[in-house]
Amino acid sequence: MDKEKEKGQTEITAYLDRIEELEDGSAKAVFLVEEEEDEFREFVLPADFLPEDTGEGEYLTIKISRDQDKTDKALDEARRLVVSD
């Protein structure tokens, strides 16, 4: 798998295999990520997450980052709710 990991962030290079139109008028983007030689993992995202003018057959870099500030705030709020009950 073409994947880079850092603390709190992952980058994945994925092949946009196809964009499928759905009955409700939306579309989904179907990606392939190589696991090992000739073995692929498929995953799907809403097509409206794609950059403008992206088309089938392109390789995209997908970055997933931890939002530590939001996580900390959510934990603080959860602790506050538990303590106040």
Side-chain angles (χ1 to χ4, degrees), residues 2 5 8-9 15-17 37-38 40-43 49 54 58 65 67-68 75 83 85:
D2 188 2
K5 283 191 174 189
Q9 180 173 308
Y15 176 77
L16 180 54
D17 185 54
E37 192 168 324
D38 296 328
F40 296 89
R41 179 182 292 188
E42 183 177 283
F43 73 95
F49 287 4
T54 301
E58 292 188 54
S65 300
D67 189 328
Q68 197 61 51
L75 288 172
V83 171
D85 284 344

Side-chain angles (χ1 to χ4, degrees), residues 8-53:
Q9 180 173 308
T10 299
E11 284 189 15
I12 301 167
T13 299
Y15 176 77
L16 180 54
D17 185 54
R18 62 192 181 277
I19 298 172
E20 296 180 356
E21 300 295 326
L22 302 175
E23 290 181 16
D24 66 2
S26 65
K28 64 181 180 179
V30 181
F31 290 91
L32 299 177
V33 177
E34 190 168 11
E35 287 285 326
E36 295 179 21
E37 192 168 324
D38 296 328
E39 290 186 31
F40 296 89
R41 179 182 292 188
E42 183 177 283
F43 73 95
V44 177
L45 291 174
D48 59 352
F49 287 4
L50 298 173
E52 193 173 319
D53 297 327

